[in-house]
Coordinates of all heavy atoms in Angstrom, one line a residue:
M1 N 11.5 43.0 9.1 CA 10.8 43.5 10.3 C 10.5 42.3 11.3 O 10.0 41.3 10.8 CB 9.5 44.2 9.9 CG 8.7 44.7 11.1 SD 7.4 45.7 10.5 CE 6.0 44.8 11.2
S2 N 10.9 42.4 12.5 CA 10.6 41.4 13.5 C 9.2 41.5 14.0 O 8.3 41.9 13.3 CB 11.6 41.4 14.6 OG 11.5 42.6 15.3
E3 N 9.0 41.1 15.2 CA 7.7 41.1 15.8 C 7.1 42.5 15.7 O 7.7 43.5 15.9 CB 7.7 40.7 17.2 CG 7.1 39.3 17.4 CD 7.1 38.9 18.9 OE1 6.3 39.5 19.6 OE2 7.9 38.0 19.2
R4 N 5.8 42.6 15.6 CA 5.1 43.8 15.5 C 5.0 44.4 16.9 O 4.6 43.7 17.9 CB 3.7 43.6 15.0 CG 2.9 44.8 14.7 CD 1.6 44.4 14.1 NE 0.6 44.2 15.1 CZ -0.7 44.0 14.9 NH1 -1.1 43.9 13.7 NH2 -1.5 43.8 15.9
P5 N 5.2 45.7 17.1 CA 5.1 46.3 18.5 C 3.6 46.4 18.9 O 2.7 46.3 18.0 CB 5.7 47.7 18.3 CG 5.6 48.0 16.9 CD 5.7 46.7 16.2
G6 N 3.4 46.6 20.2 CA 2.0 46.8 20.7 C 1.5 48.1 20.2 O 2.2 49.0 19.8
R7 N 0.2 48.3 20.2 CA -0.5 49.5 19.7 C 0.0 50.7 20.4 O 0.2 51.8 19.8 CB -2.0 49.4 19.9 CG -2.6 48.4 19.0 CD -4.1 48.3 19.3 NE -4.8 49.5 19.4 CZ -5.4 50.2 18.3 NH1 -5.3 49.7 17.1 NH2 -6.1 51.3 18.5
N8 N 0.3 50.7 21.7 CA 0.6 51.9 22.4 C 2.1 52.0 22.6 O 2.6 53.0 23.3 CB -0.1 51.9 23.8 CG -1.6 52.1 23.6 OD1 -2.0 52.9 22.8 ND2 -2.4 51.4 24.4
E9 N 2.9 51.2 22.0 CA 4.4 51.3 22.1 C 4.9 52.2 21.1 O 4.2 52.5 20.1 CB 5.0 49.9 21.9 CG 4.7 48.9 23.1 CD 5.4 47.6 22.8 OE1 6.2 47.5 21.9 OE2 5.0 46.6 23.5
P10 N 6.1 52.8 21.2 CA 6.6 53.6 20.2 C 6.8 52.9 18.9 O 7.0 51.7 18.8 CB 8.0 54.0 20.7 CG 8.0 53.7 22.2 CD 7.0 52.6 22.4
C11 N 6.6 53.6 17.8 CA 6.6 53.0 16.5 C 8.0 52.5 16.2 O 9.0 53.1 16.6 CB 6.2 54.0 15.4 SG 6.0 53.3 13.8
H12 N 8.1 51.5 15.4 CA 9.4 50.9 15.0 C 10.2 51.7 14.0 O 11.4 51.5 13.8 CB 9.2 49.5 14.4 CG 8.3 49.4 13.2 ND1 8.6 49.8 12.0 CD2 7.0 49.0 13.2 CE1 7.6 49.6 11.2 NE2 6.6 49.1 11.9
C13 N 9.6 52.8 13.4 CA 10.3 53.6 12.5 C 11.2 54.7 13.2 O 12.0 55.3 12.6 CB 9.3 54.3 11.5 SG 8.3 55.6 12.2
G14 N 10.9 54.8 14.5 CA 11.7 55.8 15.2 C 11.2 57.2 15.2 O 11.9 58.2 15.6
S15 N 9.9 57.4 14.8 CA 9.3 58.8 14.8 C 9.0 59.3 16.1 O 8.8 60.5 16.3 CB 8.1 58.7 13.9 OG 7.1 57.9 14.6
G16 N 8.9 58.4 17.1 CA 8.5 58.9 18.5 C 7.0 58.8 18.7 O 6.5 59.0 19.8
S17 N 6.2 58.6 17.6 CA 4.8 58.5 17.8 C 4.4 57.1 18.2 O 5.2 56.2 18.1 CB 4.1 58.8 16.4 OG 4.4 60.1 16.0
K18 N 3.2 56.9 18.7 CA 2.7 55.6 19.0 C 2.5 54.8 17.7 O 2.2 55.4 16.7 CB 1.4 55.7 19.8 CG 1.6 56.2 21.2 CD 0.3 56.1 21.9 CE 0.5 56.6 23.4 NZ -0.8 56.4 24.1
Y19 N 2.7 53.5 17.8 CA 2.6 52.6 16.6 C 1.2 52.7 16.0 O 1.1 52.8 14.8 CB 2.9 51.2 17.1 CG 2.7 50.2 16.0 CD1 3.5 50.2 14.9 CD2 1.7 49.2 16.1 CE1 3.4 49.2 13.9 CE2 1.5 48.3 15.1 CZ 2.4 48.3 14.0 OH 2.3 47.3 13.0
K20 N 0.2 52.8 16.8 CA -1.2 52.9 16.3 C -1.5 54.2 15.5 O -2.3 54.2 14.6 CB -2.2 52.7 17.4 CG -2.3 53.9 18.4 CD -3.3 53.7 19.5 CE -3.3 54.8 20.5 NZ -4.2 54.5 21.6
K21 N -0.7 55.2 15.8 CA -0.9 56.5 15.0 C 0.0 56.6 13.8 O -0.2 57.4 12.9 CB -0.6 57.7 15.9 CG -1.5 57.8 17.1 CD -2.7 58.6 16.7 CE -3.6 58.8 18.0 NZ -4.7 59.6 17.7
C22 N 1.1 55.8 13.8 CA 2.1 55.9 12.7 C 2.0 54.8 11.7 O 1.6 55.1 10.5 CB 3.5 55.9 13.4 SG 4.8 56.4 12.3
H23 N 2.3 53.6 12.0 CA 2.4 52.5 11.0 C 1.5 51.4 11.1 O 1.5 50.4 10.3 CB 3.9 51.9 11.0 CG 4.8 52.7 10.2 ND1 5.6 53.7 10.7 CD2 5.2 52.7 8.9 CE1 6.4 54.3 9.8 NE2 6.1 53.7 8.7
L24 N 0.5 51.4 12.0 CA -0.4 50.3 12.2 C -1.2 50.0 11.0 O -1.3 48.8 10.5 CB -1.3 50.5 13.4 CG -2.4 49.4 13.6 CD1 -1.7 48.2 14.1 CD2 -3.4 49.9 14.7
E25 N -1.8 51.0 10.3 CA -2.6 50.7 9.2 C -1.8 50.2 8.0 O -2.2 49.3 7.3 CB -3.3 52.0 8.7 CG -4.4 52.5 9.7 CD -5.1 53.8 9.2 OE1 -4.9 54.1 8.0 OE2 -5.8 54.4 10.0
Q26 N -0.6 50.7 7.8 CA 0.3 50.2 6.7 C 0.7 48.8 6.9 O 0.7 48.0 6.0 CB 1.5 51.1 6.6 CG 1.2 52.5 6.2 CD 2.4 53.4 6.3 OE1 3.5 53.0 6.8 NE2 2.3 54.7 5.9
D27 N 1.0 48.4 8.2 CA 1.5 47.1 8.5 C 0.3 46.1 8.4 O 0.4 45.0 7.9 CB 2.1 47.0 9.9 CG 3.4 47.7 10.0 OD1 4.0 48.0 8.9 OD2 3.9 47.8 11.1
E28 N -0.9 46.5 8.8 CA -2.1 45.7 8.6 C -2.4 45.4 7.2 O -2.8 44.3 6.8 CB -3.3 46.3 9.3 CG -3.3 46.1 10.8 CD -3.4 44.7 11.2 OE1 -4.3 44.0 10.7 OE2 -2.6 44.2 12.1
A29 N -2.3 46.5 6.3 CA -2.6 46.3 4.9 C -1.6 45.3 4.3 O -1.9 44.5 3.4 CB -2.5 47.7 4.2
A30 N -0.3 45.4 4.7 CA 0.7 44.5 4.2 C 0.4 43.1 4.6 O 0.6 42.1 3.8 CB 2.1 44.9 4.6
R31 N -0.1 42.9 5.9 CA -0.4 41.6 6.4 C -1.6 41.0 5.6 O -1.5 39.8 5.2 CB -0.7 41.7 7.9 CG -1.0 40.3 8.5 CD -1.5 40.4 9.9 NE -2.8 41.1 10.0 CZ -4.0 40.6 9.7 NH1 -4.1 39.3 9.4 NH2 -5.1 41.3 9.8
V32 N -2.6 41.8 5.4 CA -3.7 41.3 4.6 C -3.4 40.9 3.2 O -3.8 39.9 2.7 CB -4.9 42.4 4.6 CG1 -6.0 42.0 3.7 CG2 -5.4 42.5 6.0
K33 N -2.5 41.7 2.6 CA -2.1 41.4 1.2 C -1.3 40.1 1.2 O -1.5 39.3 0.3 CB -1.2 42.6 0.7 CG -0.8 42.5 -0.7 CD -0.1 43.7 -1.2 CE 0.3 43.6 -2.6 NZ 1.1 44.8 -3.1
A34 N -0.4 39.9 2.2 CA 0.4 38.7 2.2 C -0.5 37.5 2.4 O -0.3 36.4 1.8 CB 1.4 38.8 3.3
T35 N -1.5 37.6 3.3 CA -2.4 36.5 3.6 C -3.2 36.1 2.3 O -3.4 35.0 2.0 CB -3.4 36.9 4.7 OG1 -2.6 37.2 5.9 CG2 -4.3 35.7 5.1
A36 N -3.7 37.2 1.6 CA -4.4 36.9 0.3 C -3.6 36.2 -0.7 O -4.0 35.3 -1.4 CB -5.0 38.2 -0.2
A37 N -2.3 36.6 -0.8 CA -1.4 36.0 -1.7 C -1.2 34.5 -1.4 O -1.1 33.7 -2.3 CB -0.1 36.8 -1.8
A38 N -1.0 34.3 -0.1 CA -0.8 32.9 0.3 C -2.1 32.0 0.0 O -2.0 30.9 -0.4 CB -0.5 32.8 1.8
A39 N -3.3 32.6 0.2 CA -4.5 31.9 -0.1 C -4.6 31.6 -1.6 O -5.1 30.5 -2.0 CB -5.7 32.7 0.4
T40 N -4.2 32.6 -2.4 CA -4.3 32.4 -3.8 C -3.3 31.3 -4.3 O -3.7 30.5 -5.1 CB -4.0 33.7 -4.5 OG1 -4.9 34.7 -4.1 CG2 -4.1 33.6 -6.0
A41 N -2.1 31.3 -3.7 CA -1.2 30.3 -4.0 C -1.6 28.9 -3.6 O -1.5 27.9 -4.3 CB 0.2 30.6 -3.4
A42 N -2.3 28.8 -2.4 CA -2.8 27.5 -2.0 C -3.9 27.0 -2.9 O -4.0 25.9 -3.2 CB -3.3 27.6 -0.6
A43 N -4.8 28.0 -3.3 CA -5.9 27.6 -4.2 C -5.3 27.1 -5.6 O -5.9 26.2 -6.2 CB -6.8 28.8 -4.4
A44 N -4.3 27.8 -6.1 CA -3.7 27.4 -7.3 C -3.0 26.0 -7.2 O -3.1 25.2 -8.2 CB -2.7 28.4 -7.8
A45 N -2.4 25.8 -6.1 CA -1.8 24.5 -5.9 C -2.9 23.4 -5.8 O -2.7 22.3 -6.3 CB -0.9 24.5 -4.6
A46 N -4.0 23.6 -5.2 CA -5.1 22.7 -5.1 C -5.7 22.4 -6.4 O -6.1 21.3 -6.7 CB -6.1 23.1 -4.1
A47 N -5.8 23.4 -7.2 CA -6.4 23.3 -8.6 C -5.4 22.5 -9.5 O -5.9 21.8 -10.4 CB -6.7 24.6 -9.2
A48 N -4.2 22.6 -9.3 CA -3.2 21.9 -10.1 C -3.0 20.4 -9.7 O -2.5 19.7 -10.5 CB -1.8 22.6 -10.0
A49 N -3.5 20.1 -8.5 CA -3.3 18.7 -8.1 C -4.3 17.8 -8.9 O -5.4 18.2 -9.1 CB -3.6 18.6 -6.6
P50 N -3.8 16.7 -9.4 CA -4.7 15.8 -10.2 C -5.8 15.2 -9.3 O -5.5 14.8 -8.2 CB -3.7 14.7 -10.7 CG -2.6 14.7 -9.8 CD -2.5 16.1 -9.2
A51 N -6.9 15.1 -9.9 CA -8.1 14.4 -9.2 C -7.9 12.9 -9.2 O -7.2 12.4 -10.1 CB -9.4 14.8 -9.8
A52 N -8.5 12.2 -8.3 CA -8.5 10.8 -8.3 C -9.2 10.2 -9.5 O -10.2 10.7 -9.9 CB -9.1 10.2 -7.0
P53 N -8.7 9.2 -10.1 CA -9.3 8.6 -11.3 C -10.7 8.0 -10.9 O -10.9 7.7 -9.7 CB -8.4 7.5 -11.7 CG -7.4 7.3 -10.6 CD -7.4 8.5 -9.8
P54 N -11.7 8.0 -11.8 CA -13.0 7.6 -11.5 C -13.1 6.2 -10.9 O -13.9 5.9 -10.0 CB -13.8 7.6 -12.8 CG -12.9 8.4 -13.7 CD -11.5 8.4 -13.2
E55 N -12.2 5.3 -11.3 CA -12.2 3.9 -10.8 C -11.9 3.9 -9.3 O -12.5 3.1 -8.5 CB -11.1 3.0 -11.5 CG -11.3 2.9 -13.0 CD -10.7 4.1 -13.8 OE1 -9.7 4.6 -13.3 OE2 -11.2 4.4 -14.8
A56 N -11.0 4.7 -8.8 CA -10.6 4.8 -7.4 C -11.8 5.3 -6.6 O -12.1 4.8 -5.5 CB -9.4 5.6 -7.2
R57 N -12.5 6.3 -7.1 CA -13.7 6.8 -6.4 C -14.8 5.7 -6.3 O -15.4 5.6 -5.3 CB -14.2 8.1 -7.1 CG -13.3 9.2 -6.9 CD -14.0 10.5 -7.4 NE -14.2 10.3 -8.9 CZ -14.0 11.2 -9.8 NH1 -13.7 12.4 -9.5 NH2 -14.2 11.0 -11.1
D58 N -15.0 5.0 -7.4 CA -16.0 3.9 -7.4 C -15.7 2.8 -6.4 O -16.6 2.3 -5.8 CB -16.2 3.4 -8.8 CG -16.8 4.4 -9.7 OD1 -17.4 5.4 -9.2 OD2 -16.7 4.2 -11.0
Q59 N -14.4 2.5 -6.3 CA -14.1 1.4 -5.3 C -14.3 1.8 -3.9 O -14.7 0.9 -3.1 CB -12.6 1.1 -5.5 CG -12.3 0.4 -6.8 CD -10.8 0.2 -7.1 OE1 -10.0 0.6 -6.3 NE2 -10.5 -0.5 -8.1
K60 N -14.2 3.0 -3.6 CA -14.5 3.5 -2.2 C -15.9 3.3 -1.8 O -16.3 3.0 -0.7 CB -14.0 4.9 -2.0 CG -12.6 5.1 -2.0 CD -12.2 6.6 -1.9 CE -10.7 6.8 -2.0 NZ -10.4 8.2 -2.0
K61 N -16.8 3.5 -2.8 CA -18.3 3.5 -2.6 C -18.7 2.0 -2.4 O -19.7 1.8 -1.7 CB -19.0 4.1 -3.8 CG -18.9 5.5 -3.9 CD -19.6 6.1 -5.1 CE -19.4 7.5 -5.3 NZ -20.1 8.0 -6.5
Q62 N -18.0 1.0 -2.9 CA -18.4 -0.4 -2.8 C -17.8 -1.1 -1.6 O -17.4 -2.2 -1.7 CB -18.0 -1.1 -4.1 CG -18.7 -0.5 -5.3 CD -18.2 -1.1 -6.6 OE1 -17.2 -1.9 -6.6 NE2 -18.8 -0.7 -7.7
S63 N -17.7 -0.5 -0.5 CA -17.1 -1.1 0.7 C -18.2 -2.0 1.4 O -19.4 -1.8 1.2 CB -16.6 -0.1 1.7 OG -17.7 0.7 2.1
A64 N -17.7 -3.0 2.1 CA -18.6 -3.9 2.8 C -19.3 -3.1 3.9 O -18.8 -2.2 4.5 CB -17.8 -5.0 3.4
P65 N -20.5 -3.6 4.3 CA -21.2 -2.9 5.4 C -20.4 -3.1 6.7 O -19.8 -4.1 7.0 CB -22.6 -3.6 5.5 CG -22.4 -4.9 4.8 CD -21.3 -4.7 3.8
K66 N -20.6 -2.1 7.6 CA -19.9 -2.2 8.9 C -20.6 -3.3 9.7 O -21.8 -3.5 9.6 CB -20.0 -0.9 9.6 CG -19.2 0.2 8.8 CD -19.3 1.5 9.6 CE -18.6 2.6 8.8 NZ -18.8 3.9 9.4
P67 N -19.9 -3.9 10.7 CA -20.5 -5.0 11.5 C -21.8 -4.5 12.3 O -22.7 -5.2 12.4 CB -19.4 -5.4 12.4 CG -18.2 -5.0 11.8 CD -18.5 -3.8 11.0
Q68 N -21.7 -3.3 12.8 CA -22.9 -2.8 13.6 C -24.1 -2.6 12.7 O -25.2 -2.7 13.1 CB -22.6 -1.6 14.4 CG -22.3 -0.4 13.6 CD -20.8 0.0 13.7 OE1 -20.0 -0.8 14.1 NE2 -20.5 1.3 13.4
E69 N -23.9 -2.2 11.4 CA -25.0 -2.0 10.5 C -25.6 -3.3 10.2 O -26.8 -3.4 10.1 CB -24.5 -1.3 9.2 CG -24.1 0.1 9.4 CD -23.6 0.8 8.2 OE1 -23.4 0.0 7.2 OE2 -23.3 2.0 8.2
A70 N -24.8 -4.4 10.0 CA -25.4 -5.7 9.7 C -26.2 -6.2 10.8 O -27.2 -6.9 10.6 CB -24.3 -6.6 9.4
S71 N -25.8 -6.0 12.1 CA -26.6 -6.5 13.2 C -27.9 -5.7 13.4 O -28.8 -6.3 14.0 CB -25.7 -6.5 14.5 OG -25.4 -5.1 14.8
R72 N -28.0 -4.5 12.9 CA -29.2 -3.7 13.1 C -30.3 -4.2 12.2 O -31.5 -4.0 12.4 CB -28.9 -2.3 12.9 CG -28.2 -1.6 14.0 CD -28.1 -0.1 13.8 NE -27.0 0.4 14.6 CZ -26.4 1.5 14.3 NH1 -26.7 2.2 13.2 NH2 -25.4 1.9 15.1
R73 N -29.9 -4.8 11.0 CA -30.9 -5.2 10.1 C -31.6 -6.4 10.6 O -31.0 -7.4 11.1 CB -30.2 -5.5 8.7 CG -29.8 -4.3 8.0 CD -29.3 -4.6 6.6 NE -28.0 -4.1 6.5 CZ -27.0 -4.7 5.9 NH1 -27.2 -5.8 5.3 NH2 -25.8 -4.1 5.8
M74 N -32.9 -6.3 10.5 CA -33.7 -7.5 11.0 C -34.6 -7.9 9.9 O -35.1 -7.1 9.0 CB -34.5 -7.0 12.2 CG -33.7 -6.6 13.4 SD -34.7 -5.8 14.7 CE -35.9 -7.0 15.0
A75 N -34.9 -9.2 9.9 CA -35.9 -9.7 8.9 C -37.3 -9.2 9.2 O -37.6 -8.9 10.4 CB -35.9 -11.2 8.9
P76 N -38.2 -9.0 8.2 CA -39.5 -8.5 8.5 C -40.2 -9.3 9.6 O -41.0 -8.8 10.4 CB -40.2 -8.6 7.2 CG -39.1 -8.6 6.2 CD -37.9 -9.3 6.8
A77 N -40.1 -10.7 9.6 CA -40.7 -11.5 10.6 C -40.2 -11.2 12.0 O -41.0 -11.1 12.9 CB -40.5 -13.0 10.2
A78 N -38.9 -10.9 12.1 CA -38.4 -10.6 13.4 C -38.9 -9.3 13.9 O -39.1 -9.1 15.1 CB -36.8 -10.6 13.3
R79 N -39.0 -8.3 13.0 CA -39.6 -7.0 13.4 C -41.0 -7.1 13.9 O -41.4 -6.5 14.9 CB -39.5 -6.1 12.2 CG -38.2 -5.3 12.2 CD -38.3 -4.2 11.2 NE -37.7 -4.7 10.0 CZ -38.0 -4.5 8.7 NH1 -39.0 -3.7 8.5 NH2 -37.3 -5.0 7.7
R80 N -41.8 -8.0 13.3 CA -43.1 -8.1 13.8 C -43.2 -8.8 15.2 O -44.0 -8.4 16.0 CB -43.9 -9.0 12.8 CG -44.5 -8.2 11.6 CD -45.3 -9.1 10.8 NE -44.6 -9.2 9.5 CZ -44.4 -10.3 8.8 NH1 -44.9 -11.4 9.3 NH2 -43.7 -10.3 7.7
R81 N -42.3 -9.7 15.4 CA -42.3 -10.3 16.7 C -41.9 -9.3 17.8 O -42.4 -9.4 19.0 CB -41.3 -11.5 16.7 CG -42.0 -12.7 16.2 CD -41.1 -13.9 16.4 NE -40.6 -14.3 15.0 CZ -39.4 -14.5 14.6 NH1 -38.4 -14.4 15.5 NH2 -39.1 -14.9 13.4
S82 N -41.0 -8.4 17.5 CA -40.4 -7.5 18.6 C -41.4 -6.4 18.9 O -41.3 -5.8 19.9 CB -39.1 -6.9 18.1 OG -39.3 -6.1 17.0
V83 N -42.4 -6.2 18.1 CA -43.3 -5.1 18.4 C -44.5 -5.5 19.2 O -44.9 -6.5 19.4 CB -43.9 -4.5 17.0 CG1 -44.9 -3.4 17.3 CG2 -42.7 -3.9 16.3

């Protein structure tokens, strides 16, 4: 089946009825079923993918501070002077 006809166009089955009265519900149900199957397949693929080893996750947490964060830090004596 190619593109879906508009709601008020004649049905693609050739019955002469409008699409919304003839096959709209059936086509929507098929579309929902296909979408659910694709989501299930994507979830299964994501579950099958190996997780990162714990060492790799720990290395990401130990990154150096960003330059702007380092410049915001002030010594306690400097904070007292600025207030």
